Amino acid sequence: MIVRKNISIDQCYIDKLKPFLDKNNGNLSAAIRDSIETACQLIEEKNGEKGEKNSKDSNQALRNAESRNKMIEEEEFLLIHHTMLEWFIRKTSGLLIEESTVYELINPYTIKKIPDFIDYVNALNNRLGWKIKVDAECTGSPEPESVILTLSNGNPCFRGVIAHSLSLFLAKQMKLDLQGLFSRSNVTKVYLRRFEFLDYEKIPKGLEEYFGPMESTFKEIRKRPEFWKNLIKIYREQNYQRLSMNKKVFEAFVSGDLPSVDDIAREFELFTGKPPEAFTLSEHIMIFKALYLTDNIGTEIEVCTEKGSEYVRLIHDYCDSKVCERVICYYSNIFKCIGHPFTVTSSPHMIVFEFGKNLNNIRIPESRLISSEPSLTP
């Protein structure tokens, strides 16, 4: 049946129908029929492709669900509420995952190249249902010199665990140490760079810094749990009003025979792993700050590391002049061993070491100057 209707078509649409008009010798009705058939064919093809993609996605999701169910049935995996898993992850933050645990997920004998590694990890995430997508940017061939891992989507806590595991695997298997970590609510970036192992058994420095800052602390607590529990309890109950110093330093304070500059230099090298001359003045000041706060001999410390204006102000609560003099001499010997000239002045409850040329912001009367200064500015 032919339906005849009067229709209005703007010239722009007539122009678009020109290929069909040429094909049908200017017959407008035939041209419109051809254009309609072509449009229907394109719509069917598009719907077919979309349906096929949806079907593939649905089948893949079904296979992943079946795989998870099978692993649970075989007791390879266990069901756990995601809130509880988040709690476990947060409470173990700062501790390193053991290599053997990572190798249970990623077989080091089958994964040798970064592309294979990424494909495997993404497939694993799909199987786990964590909805995390991992991408990698590499430089260097055949062995990568640097790698940037980008983890997107999924739960931030779960992304942290995956980033930690991947970094450890790459560190031990491809000699890539962590250089930086960027984390936001929807993305985590891990920056790695190639390095040479000095000791394969040790954890690379960058990996420990970013993922295991509490690892060595917990190892010590596990070695002597009763000692640390009692120590923490005492410090807390006494509001940290206790000293924590080396036995030799304690003996020196009691006897009045303080450690010499050479002795302190040796102790400094043992503590830092490098001789004093290997550090700049600013680095020395920050190391000193950490030691001062750990010893707990004083109460507070203020430092300035701006070049040319370096200073250290020690605040204490001692009233006995002899005790103050010994504290000044002890810390003066520490600063003497680093080889930077300084002046030292004191006032009640404060000792000031000045290294820069433009300091002297705190003026202390001459009567309060130490009679035998440990070192003088040239």
Side-chain angles (χ1 to χ4, degrees):
M1 180 179 69
I2 298 176
V3 179
R4 297 185 180 276
K5 291 194 179 281
N6 294 323
I7 61 174
S8 299
I9 301 178
D10 292 338
Q11 184 61 42
C12 64
Y13 294 105
I14 296 293
D15 294 340
K16 291 179 180 179
L17 285 171
K18 188 175 185 307
F20 298 101
L21 287 169
D22 293 342
K23 177 183 174 183
N24 291 281
N25 298 318
N27 188 321
L28 181 59
S29 297
I32 290 173
R33 286 195 295 271
D34 272 1
S35 65
I36 291 172
E37 288 177 0
T38 301
C40 288
Q41 186 178 356
L42 290 172
I43 290 171
E44 288 174 0
E45 289 177 358
K46 186 175 181 181
N47 288 338
E49 290 175 0
K50 186 176 180 181
E52 184 179 352
K53 184 177 183 299
N54 290 338
S55 177
K56 285 182 179 179
D57 291 344
S58 178
N59 290 337
Q60 184 61 47
L62 183 60
R63 284 195 295 272
N64 288 336
E66 290 174 350
S67 175
R68 286 194 291 272
N69 289 336
K70 184 179 179 181
M71 289 186 288
I72 291 170
E73 289 172 3
E74 294 175 352
E75 298 185 354
E76 182 180 353
F77 284 9
L78 296 174
L79 280 174
I80 182 171
H81 196 281
H82 77 275
T83 303
M84 182 173 287
L85 182 56
E86 281 187 32
W87 181 84
F88 278 122
I89 293 171
R90 289 195 177 104
K91 292 301 179 182
T92 55
S93 177
L95 300 180
L96 290 170
I97 298 174
E98 294 180 356
E99 286 182 60
S100 57
T101 302
V102 174
Y103 296 154
E104 286 288 328
L105 295 175
I106 310 172
N107 189 337
Y109 298 105
T110 59
I111 306 295
K112 299 295 183 183
K113 297 180 179 179
I114 294 291
D116 298 335
F117 173 73
I118 297 301
D119 290 343
Y120 178 84
V121 169
N122 281 323
L124 177 64
N125 277 324
N126 287 332
R127 289 172 62 202
L128 293 173
W130 284 17
K131 300 179 181 179
I132 297 171
K133 180 73 166 61
V134 182
D135 293 306
E137 300 175 34
C138 305
T139 58
S141 180
E143 295 181 330
E145 290 297 324
S146 66
V147 174
I148 300 175
L149 295 178
T150 302
L151 292 80
S152 54
N153 304 325
N155 184 294
C157 284
F158 300 168
R159 279 205 315 269
V161 172
I162 294 294
H164 185 168
S165 303
L166 302 188
S167 299
L168 191 146
F169 182 91
L170 292 175
K172 286 305 184 80
Q173 298 301 317
M174 300 187 186
K175 297 182 179 179
L176 293 165
D177 193 14
L178 209 64
Q179 299 294 307
L181 182 67
F182 171 87
S183 185
R184 289 292 182 269
S185 60
N186 61 341
V187 68
T188 300
K189 283 184 176 286
V190 183
Y191 300 86
L192 302 111
R193 186 172 294 278
R194 188 167 183 80
F195 79 111
E196 295 298 329
F197 274 107
L198 297 177
D199 185 346
Y200 188 81
E201 295 299 319
K202 290 184 177 180
I203 296 296
K205 184 178 179 181
L207 190 70
E208 186 170 11
E209 177 184 348
Y210 287 99
F211 287 119
M214 297 298 294
E215 183 72 17
S216 58
T217 302
F218 272 83
K219 280 184 179 179
E220 291 302 317
I221 291 174
R222 291 188 192 104
K223 284 180 185 178
R224 301 179 64 184
E226 291 304 317
F227 168 82
W228 289 107
K229 283 194 294 185
N230 291 333
L231 185 65
I232 291 169
K233 180 182 177 182
I234 291 170
Y235 265 87
R236 189 170 57 238
E237 289 177 349
Q238 298 185 6
N239 196 27
Y240 289 82
Q241 296 300 304
R242 295 179 63 84
L243 301 187
S244 175
M245 63 173 67
N246 185 284
K247 282 185 177 181
K248 291 182 179 178
V249 176
F250 171 75
E251 183 179 4
F253 267 98
V254 173
S255 66
D257 185 16
L258 293 174
S260 67
V261 174
D262 291 338
D263 290 338
I264 290 177
R266 282 192 292 271
E267 289 294 327
F268 180 92
E269 189 167 350
L270 287 173
F271 175 75
T272 61
K274 297 179 182 179
E277 56 268 21
F279 297 94
T280 64
L281 176 57
S282 295
E283 290 171 333
H284 274 298
I285 289 174
M286 297 312 297
I287 293 170
F288 176 85
K289 181 179 178 179
L291 287 170
Y292 181 79
L293 293 173
T294 303
D295 289 343
N296 215 24
I297 293 175
T299 55
E300 294 181 41
I301 181 171
E302 298 174 7
V303 301
C304 175
T305 57
E306 182 181 346
K307 190 171 179 62
S309 300
E310 296 92 341
Y311 68 82
V312 174
R313 295 174 187 160
L314 308 181
I315 295 97
H316 61 84
D317 52 8
Y318 302 112
C319 297
D320 190 299
S321 60
K322 291 183 178 179
V323 173
C324 294
E325 288 176 7
R326 288 187 184 181
V327 170
I328 292 169
C329 289
Y330 171 63
Y331 285 125
S332 296
N333 283 348
I334 291 179
F335 281 124
K336 272 186 178 181
C337 85
I338 70 176
H340 293 276
F342 64 90
T343 58
V344 55
T345 54
S346 73
S347 64
H349 307 301
M350 181 181 292
I351 306 166
V352 182
F353 294 91
E354 297 180 316
F355 299 88
K357 297 177 181 178
N358 302 317
L359 275 169
N360 300 319
N361 291 329
I362 292 183
R363 300 305 302 169
I364 300 172
E366 290 295 323
S367 60
R368 301 300 301 170
L369 289 174
I370 302 304
S371 58
S372 55
E373 292 183 351
S375 179
L376 295 173
T377 50

